[in-house]
């Protein structure tokens, strides 16, 4: 549903009866929830199925909260978009065939009705809405607003949501504060890998500081959680150190990671296979892909090592071939196994 439009910042008809809705109630509804859509779900037992409305036929099925209160200038003219509460039963078009709304302009409210449809464009709305005089519609609007207000008070209030969010954030902070650091053995292994793989990278010190305060996220069900957390931080900071690649990744991704790691960490440009040297439907998990890259690297004194995470990914390290045994020892010190291409 698109917005409500007026030709100018002024109500078009008679202000709404305060018995239906007051400006204070209007403000309460818009200001005390983050929700923008409420829907009535009819249930034979009249249960509150979605925790929003009970299934009362006297209520509109859908209520939208439109928070605007702005002037909009366009090629079709200047329009005022009020704060509004919109009601309809069937969302059959962008502007439903029939819909109603309460608009607030200045300190006045008015209830309007409008006919939409497939051919109605947004700028036409300003000339199509009319005053509501049908008492039955007024009663439906009042009943619907009452249920919206109750829903906000009981479930969707900003205060309740903010308190819930703060509570969750507090729990999260406490969990993080109480989380243990990685062991000294793991810290030493990560730092040694950083020395070997980052080599001449001028930002290596940042990684060392992260390792110094790295906490353990491992659980009985996931002993690779810390490694995943660490590799994600490295990726976010654009370090090509411990590089995680999905098994379906394009060969171009592997080529780019290797080239960038060579340039950033060793200041080297060496000949390696190009992605277009492989078949179009091949990925990094295709037979022989890693071997071809590793073989080319070894001719230049480098090689690839894998960490086996027992998952559908490749966790890759690029380093000088002379450090092969040291890298293997570090991987094992972290509690992992060195992986294989297969």
């Amino acid at each position: 549903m698109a917005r409500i439009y007026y030709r100018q910042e002024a109500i078009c008809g008679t202000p709404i009866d305060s018995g239906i809705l007051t400006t204070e109630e209007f403000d309460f509804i818009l200001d005390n929830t983050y929700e923008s859509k409420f829907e009535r779900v009819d249930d034979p037992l009249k249960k509150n199925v979605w925790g929003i409305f009970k299934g009362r036929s006297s209520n509109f099925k859908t209520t939208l909260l439109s928070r605007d209160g702005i002037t909009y200038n366009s090629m079709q003219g200047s329009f005022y978009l009020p704060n509004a509460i919109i009601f309809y039963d069937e969302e059959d078009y962008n502007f439903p065939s029939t819909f109603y709304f309460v608009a607030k302009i200045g300190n006045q409210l008015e209830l309007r009705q409008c006919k939409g449809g497939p051919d109605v464009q947004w700028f036409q709305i300003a000339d199509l809405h009319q005053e509501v005089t049908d008492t039955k519609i007024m009663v439906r609007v009042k009943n619907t607003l009452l249920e919206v207000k109750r829903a906000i008070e009981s479930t969707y209030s900003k205060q309740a949501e903010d308190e819930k969010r703060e509570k969750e954030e507090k729990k999260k902070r406490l969990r993080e504060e109480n989380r243990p650091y990685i062991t000294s053995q793991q810290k030493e292994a990560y730092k040694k890998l950083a020395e070997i793989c980052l080599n001449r990278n001028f930002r290596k010190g940042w990684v060392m500081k992260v390792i110094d305060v790295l906490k353990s996220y491992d659980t009985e069900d996931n002993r690779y959680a810390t490694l995943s957390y660490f590799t994600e931080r490295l990726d976010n900071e654009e370090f090509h150190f411990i590089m995680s690649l999905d098994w379906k990744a394009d060969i171009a991704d592997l080529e780019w990671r290797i080239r960038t790691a060579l340039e950033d960490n060793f200041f080297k440009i060496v000949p390696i296979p190009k992605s277009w040297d492989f078949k179009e439907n091949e990925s990094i998990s295709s037979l022989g892909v890693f071997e071809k890259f590793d073989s080319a690297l070894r001719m230049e004194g480098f090689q690839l090592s894998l960490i086996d995470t027992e998952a559908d990914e490749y966790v890759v390290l690029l380093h000088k071939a002379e450090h092969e045994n040291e890298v293997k020892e570090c991987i094992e010190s972290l509690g992992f196994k060195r992986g294989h291409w297969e």
Side-chain angles (χ1 to χ4, degrees), residues 293-304:
F293 279 97
D294 189 58
S295 178
L297 288 166
R298 285 178 183 272
M299 293 181 67
E300 301 295 331
F302 293 93
Q303 73 171 78
L304 298 175

Side-chain angles (χ1 to χ4, degrees), residues 24-121:
E24 289 78 11
E25 290 170 328
F26 182 97
D27 292 340
F28 174 88
I29 290 172
L30 264 70
D31 295 343
N32 286 277
T33 181
Y34 292 108
E35 297 294 319
S36 59
K37 186 173 186 177
F38 295 84
E39 291 203 69
R40 185 200 79 225
V41 179
D42 291 316
D43 182 83
L45 301 178
K46 293 189 177 180
K47 290 182 179 179
N48 196 336
V49 179
W50 293 110
I52 300 175
F53 287 148
K54 291 180 179 179
R56 296 181 182 175
S57 59
S58 59
N59 293 343
F60 284 97
K61 183 176 180 181
T62 302
T63 303
L64 298 182
L65 307 185
S66 180
R67 300 175 177 90
D68 285 316
I70 59 172
T71 298
Y72 175 60
N73 295 310
S74 71
M75 293 180 64
Q76 286 77 21
S78 178
F79 298 87
Y80 182 70
L81 286 65
N83 289 324
I85 304 177
I86 307 164
F87 313 90
Y88 55 86
D89 288 316
E90 186 176 359
E91 193 169 8
D92 46 359
Y93 302 104
N94 188 32
F95 290 98
S97 295
T98 302
F99 63 95
Y100 306 85
F101 63 87
V102 175
K104 182 182 179 184
I105 302 178
N107 199 38
Q108 291 184 302
L109 303 176
E110 69 172 343
L111 176 60
R112 308 287 286 176
Q113 61 187 358
C114 191
K115 298 289 185 181
D119 301 321
V120 172
Q121 300 185 59

Side-chain angles (χ1 to χ4, degrees), residues 39-224:
E39 291 203 69
R40 185 200 79 225
V41 179
D42 291 316
D43 182 83
L45 301 178
K46 293 189 177 180
K47 290 182 179 179
N48 196 336
V49 179
W50 293 110
I52 300 175
F53 287 148
K54 291 180 179 179
R56 296 181 182 175
S57 59
S58 59
N59 293 343
F60 284 97
K61 183 176 180 181
T62 302
T63 303
L64 298 182
L65 307 185
S66 180
R67 300 175 177 90
D68 285 316
I70 59 172
T71 298
Y72 175 60
N73 295 310
S74 71
M75 293 180 64
Q76 286 77 21
S78 178
F79 298 87
Y80 182 70
L81 286 65
N83 289 324
I85 304 177
I86 307 164
F87 313 90
Y88 55 86
D89 288 316
E90 186 176 359
E91 193 169 8
D92 46 359
Y93 302 104
N94 188 32
F95 290 98
S97 295
T98 302
F99 63 95
Y100 306 85
F101 63 87
V102 175
K104 182 182 179 184
I105 302 178
N107 199 38
Q108 291 184 302
L109 303 176
E110 69 172 343
L111 176 60
R112 308 287 286 176
Q113 61 187 358
C114 191
K115 298 289 185 181
D119 301 321
V120 172
Q121 300 185 59
W122 67 269
F123 55 86
Q124 296 174 312
I125 293 298
D127 301 313
L128 292 177
H129 54 76
Q130 301 174 338
E131 189 169 358
V132 173
T133 56
D134 188 338
T135 305
K136 291 180 180 179
I137 296 300
M138 295 179 186
V139 171
R140 291 192 72 193
V141 167
K142 180 177 180 177
N143 289 339
T144 304
L145 288 168
L146 180 61
E147 289 299 334
V148 170
K149 187 170 180 288
R150 287 174 179 169
I152 293 171
E153 290 172 335
S154 63
T155 309
Y156 295 98
S157 72
K158 283 185 177 179
Q159 182 180 353
E161 291 184 33
D162 287 341
E163 288 174 355
K164 182 179 179 181
R165 187 180 295 109
E166 177 59 30
K167 192 174 181 179
E168 290 299 321
E169 287 296 324
K170 186 176 181 180
K171 286 182 179 179
K172 186 177 179 181
R173 287 194 299 269
L174 286 173
R175 283 197 301 268
E176 193 62 28
E177 289 172 6
N178 296 325
R179 191 181 299 281
Y181 291 96
I182 59 174
T183 66
S184 57
Q185 177 179 305
Q186 291 171 321
K187 185 182 293 186
E188 184 180 345
Y190 274 125
K191 283 194 168 186
K192 192 168 184 179
L193 285 176
E195 287 288 354
I196 292 170
C197 298
L198 291 175
N199 198 265
R200 300 176 66 185
N201 192 308
F202 68 92
R203 295 193 296 146
K204 181 168 58 178
W206 183 90
V207 176
M208 296 300 187
K209 289 179 181 178
V210 170
I211 295 171
D212 276 330
V213 295
L214 185 60
K215 293 190 173 185
S216 176
Y217 295 84
D218 295 344
T219 63
E220 290 184 6
D221 297 328
N222 184 2
R223 63 191 187 92
Y224 301 102

Side-chain angles (χ1 to χ4, degrees), residues 12-25:
C12 297
T14 305
I16 196 171
D17 189 318
S18 60
I20 298 174
L21 183 69
T22 66
T23 55
E24 289 78 11
E25 290 170 328

